[in-house]
């Protein structure tokens, strides 16, 4: 699902770490990616992993606005409208379709991308509820 190199807005620093990240996830099932703001963690990593690995990719987003923005950006990068393979579901608002893979429950925002379709979930953490 990752746009090819040279696509405007996708030549970000995290791109060089994507093969190692996918290898680590394939080998161990978990990985931690630490990088400065603006390197592509929220937009490029979920798209790349969705195309490279089976299962669901979950990325935490702190606010509903961030979840919507992440969904818009990822959908734009793959040339689709929000609600197709990339969508979101936040408290009081949802844009998804049968092509959007959506999981989880209310709680912290979670943009997710699965082996193909992706979704972005957002909301506030409620006291006493864990994701």
């Amino acid at each position: 699902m990752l746009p090819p190199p040279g696509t405007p807005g996708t030549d970000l620093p995290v791109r060089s770490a994507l093969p190692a990240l996918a290898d680590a996830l394939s080998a161990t099932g978990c990985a931690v990616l630490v990088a400065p703001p603006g390197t592509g963690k929220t937009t490029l990593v979920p798209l790349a992993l969705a195309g490279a690995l089976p299962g669901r990719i979950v990325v935490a987003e702190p606010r509903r606005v961030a979840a919507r923005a992440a969904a818009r950006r990822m959908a734009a990068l793959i040339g689709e409208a929000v609600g197709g393979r990339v969508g979101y579901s936040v408290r009081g608002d949802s844009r998804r379709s049968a092509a959007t893979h959506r999981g989880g429950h209310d709680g912290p925002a979670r943009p997710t991308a699965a082996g193909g379709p992706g979704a972005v979930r957002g909301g506030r953490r409620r006291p006493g509820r864990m994701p």
Side-chain angles (χ1 to χ4, degrees):
M1 265 175 59
L2 184 64
T7 302
T10 64
D11 290 330
L12 297 170
V14 77
R15 190 180 272 275
S16 64
L18 293 175
L21 180 61
D23 290 345
L25 287 169
S26 293
T28 65
C30 65
V32 175
L33 176 64
V34 179
T39 56
K41 297 180 303 292
T42 298
T43 55
L44 293 184
V45 171
L47 294 175
L49 296 179
L53 301 171
R56 187 174 298 154
I57 310 300
V58 179
V59 180
E61 286 299 330
R63 302 280 181 260
R64 288 175 275 168
V65 171
R68 288 182 190 110
R72 282 192 305 268
R73 179 70 178 142
M74 284 189 276
L77 287 175
I78 61 172
E80 296 181 5
V82 174
R85 289 188 294 167
V86 177
Y88 67 83
S89 180
V90 298
R91 188 172 11 133
D93 187 17
S94 177
R95 295 189 64 197
R96 59 182 194 245
S97 68
T100 308
H101 186 83
R102 178 178 170 267
H105 55 81
D106 288 343
R110 291 185 276 278
T112 64
V120 176
R121 288 197 45 86
R124 293 179 150 183
R125 185 170 187 279
R126 296 184 183 110
R129 295 204 48 189
M130 295 300 290

